[in-house]
């Protein structure tokens, strides 16, 4: 134990809550597998990637955080299937740099490319194409998972329950070390984007419900601060990958050029929040006015379409030291009124900040704790640190649960444990698989302990001896 | 675990018969609190608070006899308590008592007892939990100080001096614990109408204990390191600290 480093303070992208854990950086998959199999019951541990989950999913107070970003080798690229086999610590950014020039693209991508493959699987991420393509789990051919009982290989047809518990399992059934991901073929690195404005939330949802099959990618950016008859005014951006003939003739010689640009850097963590209601309202107004009423067929580099926020590195610091959370929920189709009520409450409280993202999800996947289900999902950044926000969010949970919906664990840092079973009806299945794979509860995180997912109560004192 | 909004799920209270502690726990019970250890001397008050917490839905409430002035017992108490809870999210230190301060009453025993009750005992209790808190890598210590300790008045000099001690201990500890995941909040109420102050003439800006409780819960949410109750006292004492001593000593009881 003396070889261990001093504890480091860790937090998610929202900067709160934080807790201290010892960070280990395994240099190879066998080293990680060995670490997990050998460490019988002393310190709890959780895998950590690039720290982009918003809350407390990738930290383990008083335990170990296994930084997996060193396991980032791309092991095999099969251009015929096409599919890629890679270690789970590889980032989407690293994958894009290899895949895009070869005319390939990840089948599912979130709003940032700075996530690891393992983190993406543990969150069972979705993208703007969920209505057609589902979550990342649907595109995985095979997983290798390190568990306290040793490495396990699984896929939907083989140890399917391990696969379903691990995709979306928040790293608590095992640590994904390797994955085979099926890929999408693209002809160009550009997107063909249609943009239109919607005057309010009802118009926005109506438009998103129409012709959704025409676009592979579909999302609406909603002004979370607009009220009254402008409630939920939004800009819809819907797109497909551009094919070669969509490009102007002079761009066709190099259609797969990947332009990621150099991100601006937030120079230092400011002591206060720059994103208050006044600055954000001004920003949102400008952004809405600038958007075209209707523009079709605009050619946009894929990074600008998929990862607009990656253009400002460390943008999370702008919310100040008190941090923020992202409230993302889904409710079934037919519960449009709930989406409207949530927007109303947040805009009335003047806490909803920046742009919210609204999207229509397609069918639910196989992951036991996977977030997406058929319906509407809305994601909003909510600054924390002012009294009253906690109670406001608790009230939203009640609304979401009574509408048959749920909150996204990878964005969460504050859900109460009582909500879990109602929001995730397959929780019992998941707990059963977890108990089998990790009977001693070695895999744990602050999120797991907060929500009662770790199934093991360990006395605080046991950790003193450790 | 403490969540992103600063709300604890478990708490240990030193001075569990305090009214401010009771009101604070009742508010936290409406949020996330599920396990509590109440430690203190007044058995009836401990049991009454425990019953009220259970009625608010706290799953697990344990009461323990503890006299903070018996500092030799604190380590054993801390160790036993750490075994009873899976983590200690909140350590609330509310032990303390007023003490006569007129010159005729100042003898060695009275002064020493007041300092042990209000400073040495509570500080030692915090120290007894430090090992557990640091090892768990998370947690918040909330220490009830008082404006009486911000600048000591002759009318209240022993209590004030002891509170000045615990206040300084809390602030210094907060700095020492930076980066460990354990955070410290120092609460500085003015005159609070409680059973401790019953029979005394309320000072200006007096508040109810529920107001202190609300300020503490809000402070947990905002992550405040010092909480003044009412908040106006921050400004009042910024001025009072500047008073020349010749003027300060003229302030009547």
């Amino acid at each position: 134990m003396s070889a261990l480093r001093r504890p480091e303070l860790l937090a998610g992208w929202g900067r709160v809550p934080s807790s201290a854990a010892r960070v280990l950086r395994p240099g190879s998959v066998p080293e990680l597998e060995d670490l997990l199999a050998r460490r019988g019951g002393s310190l709890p541990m959780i895998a950590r990637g690039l720290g982009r989950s918003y809350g407390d999913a990738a930290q383990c107070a008083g335990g170990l955080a296994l930084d997996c970003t060193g396991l980032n080798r791309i092991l095999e690229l099969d251009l015929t299937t096409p599919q890629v086999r890679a270690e789970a610590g590889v980032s989407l950014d690293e994958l894009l740099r290899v895949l895009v020039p070869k005319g390939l693209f990840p089948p599912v991508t979130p709003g940032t490319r700075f996530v690891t493959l393992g983190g993406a699987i543990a969150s069972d991420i979705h993208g703007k194409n969920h209505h057609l393509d589902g979550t990342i789990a649907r595109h995985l051919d095979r997983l290798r998972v390190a568990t306290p009982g040793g490495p396990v290989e699984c896929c939907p047809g083989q140890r399917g329950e391990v696969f379903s518990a691990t995709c979306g399992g928040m790293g608590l059934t095992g640590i994904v070390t390797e994955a085979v991901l099926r890929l999408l073929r693209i002809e160009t690195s550009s997107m063909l984007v249609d943009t239109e404005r919607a005057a309010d939330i009802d118009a926005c949802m109506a438009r998103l419900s129409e012709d959704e099959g025409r676009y592979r990618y579909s999302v609406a950016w909603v002004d979370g601060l607009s009220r009254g008859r402008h409630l939920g005014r939004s800009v819809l951006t819907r797109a497909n990958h551009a094919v070669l003939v969509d490009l102007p003739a002079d761009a066709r010689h190099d259609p797969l050029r990947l332009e990621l640009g150099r991100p601006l850097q937030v120079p230092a963590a400011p002591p206060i929040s720059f994103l208050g209601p006044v600055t954000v309202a001004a920003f949102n107004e400008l952004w809405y006015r600038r958007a075209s009423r209707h523009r079709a067929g605009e050619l946009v580099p894929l990074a600008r379409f998929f990862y607009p926020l990656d253009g400002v590195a460390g943008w999370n610091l702008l919310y100040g030291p008190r941090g923020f959370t992202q409230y993302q929920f889904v409710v079934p189709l037919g519960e449009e009124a709930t989406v409207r009520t949530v927007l109303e409450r947040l805009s009335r409280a003047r806490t909803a900040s920046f742009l919210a993202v609204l999207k229509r999800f397609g069918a639910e996947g196989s992951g036991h704790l996977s977030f997406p289900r058929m319906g509407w999902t809305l994601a909003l950044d909510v600054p924390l640190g002012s009294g009253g926000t906690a109670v406001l969010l608790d009230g939203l949970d009640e609304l979401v649960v009574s509408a048959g919906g749920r909150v996204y664990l990878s964005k969460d840092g504050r859900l109460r444990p009582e909500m879990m079973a109602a929001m995730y009806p397959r929780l019992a299945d998941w707990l059963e698989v977890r108990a089998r794979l990790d009977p001693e509860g070695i895999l744990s995180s602050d999120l797991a302990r907060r929500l009662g997912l770790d199934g093991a109560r360990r006395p605080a004192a046991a950790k003193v001896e450790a | 675990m403490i969540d992103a909004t600063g709300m604890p799920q478990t708490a240990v209270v030193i001075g569990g018969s305090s009214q401010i502690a009771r009101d604070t726990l009742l508010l936290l019970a409406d949020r996330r609190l599920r396990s509590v250890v109440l430690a203190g001397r007044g058995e009836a008050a401990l049991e009454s608070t425990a019953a009220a917490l259970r009625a608010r839905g706290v799953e697990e409430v344990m009461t323990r006899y503890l006299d903070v002035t018996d500092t030799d017992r604190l380590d054993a108490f801390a160790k036993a308590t750490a075994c009873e809870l899976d983590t200690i999210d909140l350590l609330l230190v509310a032990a303390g008592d007023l003490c006569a301060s007129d010159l005729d009453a100042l003898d060695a025993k009275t002064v020493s007892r007041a300092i042990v009750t209000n400073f040495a005992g509570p500080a030692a209790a915090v120290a007894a939990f430090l090992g557990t808190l640091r090892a768990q890598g998370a947690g918040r210590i909330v220490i009830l100080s008082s404006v009486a300790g911000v600048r000591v008045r002759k009318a209240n000099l022993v209590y004030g001096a002891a509170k000045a001690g615990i206040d300084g201990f809390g602030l210094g500890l907060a700095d020492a614990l930076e980066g460990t995941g354990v955070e410290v909040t120092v609460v500085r109420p003015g005159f609070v109408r409680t059973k401790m102050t019953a029979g005394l003439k309320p000072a200006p800006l007096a508040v109810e204990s529920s107001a202190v409780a609300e300020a503490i819960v809000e402070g947990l949410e905002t992550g405040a390191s010092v909480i003044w109750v009412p908040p106006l006292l921050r400004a009042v004492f910024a001025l009072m600290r500047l008073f020349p001593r010749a003027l300060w000593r003229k302030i009547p009881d």
Side-chain angles (χ1 to χ4, degrees):
Chain A
M1 213 41 70
S2 57
L4 285 178
R5 297 153 192 265
R6 288 169 58 83
E8 293 173 34
L9 210 52
L10 300 175
W13 190 242
R15 302 183 73 197
V16 287
S18 61
S19 71
R22 293 183 164 86
V23 180
L24 297 183
R25 296 181 176 80
S28 70
V29 171
E31 191 185 329
L32 185 146
E33 287 173 347
D34 190 47
L35 199 73
L36 197 49
R38 240 176 344 110
R39 185 80 65 187
S42 58
L43 285 177
M45 59 180 80
I46 193 70
R48 185 176 174 92
L50 289 164
R52 285 297 178 118
S53 55
Y54 282 66
D56 47 5
Q59 60 205 50
C60 185
L64 301 174
L66 306 181
D67 178 341
C68 296
T69 53
L71 313 178
N72 63 345
R73 291 184 304 158
I74 295 174
L75 301 166
E76 204 181 329
L77 186 57
D78 178 346
L79 296 173
T80 57
T81 329
Q83 62 182 23
V84 63
R85 182 165 71 91
E87 291 179 342
V90 72
S91 71
L92 205 51
D93 182 64
E94 291 163 315
L95 278 176
L96 287 171
R97 288 170 198 272
V98 173
L99 297 179
V100 172
K102 294 187 162 54
L104 298 169
F105 196 67
V108 171
T109 178
T112 170
R113 57 185 197 273
F114 299 110
V115 297
T116 62
L117 182 57
I121 295 166
S123 293
D124 197 15
I125 57 156
H126 59 270
K128 297 176 175 69
N129 55 339
H130 185 275
H131 59 291
L132 293 180
D133 297 325
T135 63
I136 197 168
R138 202 196 280 181
H139 308 275
L140 291 168
D141 203 54
R142 201 156 23 96
L143 293 182
R144 186 177 169 92
V145 185
T147 74
V152 177
E153 299 255 351
C154 64
C155 63
Q158 184 199 359
R159 298 193 191 87
E161 77 297 344
V162 175
F163 183 83
S164 297
T166 301
C167 295
M170 307 307 289
L172 297 166
T173 57
I175 300 175
V176 177
T177 52
E178 247 181 65
V180 179
L181 180 67
R182 287 186 294 273
L183 300 167
L184 183 70
R185 284 188 208 279
I186 52 174
E187 286 185 26
T188 75
S189 59
S190 295
M191 306 301 295
L192 214 48
V193 183
D194 289 359
T195 307
E196 60 184 300
R197 295 201 308 211
D200 63 27
I201 192 65
D202 297 329
C204 176
M205 285 194 274
R207 287 298 291 146
L208 282 175
S209 302
E210 290 160 24
D211 49 50
E212 67 173 1
R214 277 181 51 214
Y215 299 97
R216 183 181 282 272
Y217 303 99
S218 161
V219 72
W221 302 83
V222 180
D223 178 357
L225 284 170
S226 55
R227 289 188 281 188
R229 63 193 176 86
H230 297 301
L231 182 81
R233 65 175 178 179
S234 22
V235 177
L236 282 72
T237 57
R238 299 187 286 178
N240 289 303
H241 290 283
V243 292
L244 200 55
V245 294
D246 293 325
L247 298 187
D250 58 341
R252 286 182 200 165
H253 69 282
D254 188 12
L256 290 165
R257 205 181 127 83
L258 181 63
E259 288 171 49
L260 294 175
R262 276 173 63 93
L264 296 169
Q265 179 76 45
V266 173
I272 52 158
S273 173
F274 276 101
L275 303 178
V278 176
T279 49
V280 172
F283 173 88
N284 286 3
E285 184 69 32
L286 194 68
W287 156 89
Y288 183 78
R289 299 271 162 219
R290 266 192 53 195
S292 23
R293 244 169 250 285
H294 189 93
R295 179 164 53 183
E298 188 189 2
L299 277 173
V300 169
L302 62 82
R304 216 175 84 205
F305 176 75
F306 287 107
Y307 316 114
L309 286 175
D310 285 347
V312 185
W315 62 264
N316 60 327
L317 301 178
L318 295 175
Y319 279 103
R322 302 284 184 248
F324 69 107
T325 190
Q326 189 172 86
Y327 193 74
Q328 181 168 8
F329 67 94
V330 59
V331 288
L333 298 180
E335 292 291 345
E336 289 75 16
T338 304
V339 176
R340 180 175 246 284
T341 309
V342 170
L343 264 179
E344 269 166 2
R345 286 206 197 168
L346 283 166
S347 64
R348 206 182 316 135
R350 308 312 279 166
T351 56
S353 112
F354 248 154
L355 302 172
V357 175
L358 179 72
K359 153 137 205 86
R360 203 179 142 121
F361 274 155
E364 189 168 44
S366 70
H368 295 155
L369 297 187
S370 184
F371 166 68
R373 55 156 297 156
M374 180 82 81
W376 295 103
T377 184
L378 182 70
L380 313 97
D381 288 349
V382 179
L384 294 173
S386 60
T389 308
V391 172
L392 179 75
L393 295 175
D394 283 353
L396 299 186
D397 292 342
E398 306 277 352
L399 274 178
V400 167
V401 159
S402 57
R406 60 176 70 123
V407 162
Y408 192 4
L409 297 183
S410 299
K411 305 284 179 77
D412 178 60
R414 32 97 11 223
L415 192 66
R416 60 204 316 170
E418 297 88 323
M419 293 291 174
M420 272 305 291
M423 288 185 170
Y424 290 88
R426 293 151 85 192
L427 177 64
D429 297 336
W430 182 83
L431 285 170
E432 197 182 303
V433 179
R434 169 171 156 92
R436 193 147 43 81
L437 292 173
D438 182 19
E440 292 177 70
I442 290 165
L443 294 162
S444 184
S445 62
D446 291 359
L447 175 132
R449 287 155 73 188
R450 173 169 58 82
L451 293 174
L453 299 177
D454 63 343
R457 280 183 56 119
R458 54 185 100 237
K463 279 174 256 135
V464 182
E465 322 311 332
Chain B
M1 298 302 302
I2 294 177
D3 74 1
T5 65
M7 292 301 124
Q9 292 180 309
T10 67
V12 174
V13 184
I14 310 289
S17 46
S18 133
Q19 208 164 319
I20 293 174
R22 176 193 172 103
D23 290 348
T24 305
L25 292 172
L26 286 173
L27 291 180
L28 293 175
D30 290 341
R31 305 292 191 90
R32 299 290 186 272
L33 201 60
R34 58 172 169 76
S35 303
V36 180
V37 174
L38 291 172
R41 283 177 308 167
E43 199 189 332
L46 291 181
E47 289 307 330
S48 152
T49 298
L53 289 172
R54 288 187 195 106
R56 287 275 182 115
V58 179
E59 293 162 30
E60 194 178 27
V61 187
M62 292 164 272
T63 57
R64 299 285 178 265
Y65 178 83
L66 183 74
D67 181 351
V68 289
T69 66
D70 187 1
T71 48
D72 291 342
R73 269 208 61 225
L74 292 172
D75 278 330
F77 167 75
K79 203 163 183 187
T81 305
C83 290
E84 284 173 320
L85 297 174
D86 53 352
T87 43
I88 298 168
D89 292 344
L90 171 67
L91 177 64
L92 176 59
V93 184
D97 204 357
L98 288 176
C99 150
S101 280
D102 46 302
L103 282 178
D104 296 334
L106 287 190
D107 57 34
K109 197 171 163 205
T110 311
V111 170
S112 142
R113 177 145 189 90
I115 290 193
V116 173
T117 306
N118 291 296
F119 176 22
V126 170
F129 279 95
L130 278 182
T132 298
L133 291 171
R134 288 174 64 197
Q136 70 185 24
R140 182 169 287 272
I141 304 169
V142 173
I143 297 175
L144 282 182
S145 172
S146 167
V147 293
V150 176
R151 185 161 184 190
V152 179
R153 279 188 312 137
K154 65 181 182 185
N156 202 4
L157 78 95
V158 184
Y159 179 78
K163 283 295 187 186
I166 194 74
D167 195 284
F169 177 77
L171 295 182
L173 188 62
D175 294 340
L177 287 171
E178 199 186 11
T180 63
V182 184
E183 296 182 278
V184 183
T185 305
V186 171
V187 186
R188 292 176 182 159
F191 189 97
V192 187
R193 296 189 196 92
T194 63
K195 58 195 181 220
M196 186 177 88
T197 58
L200 297 179
K201 192 177 124 247
L205 298 174
V207 293
E208 303 297 328
S209 61
S210 58
V212 183
E214 279 161 25
I216 291 174
V217 173
E218 192 183 324
L220 293 175
E221 205 173 329
T222 59
S225 57
V226 178
I227 299 173
W228 299 78
V229 199
L232 184 58
L233 284 176
R234 181 195 293 268
V236 170
F237 270 82
L239 266 176
M240 283 195 169
R241 273 194 267 223
L242 302 176
F243 274 27
R245 280 184 62 200
L247 202 60
W248 183 250
R249 75 169 68 99
K250 298 283 184 248
I251 291 182
D253 295 353

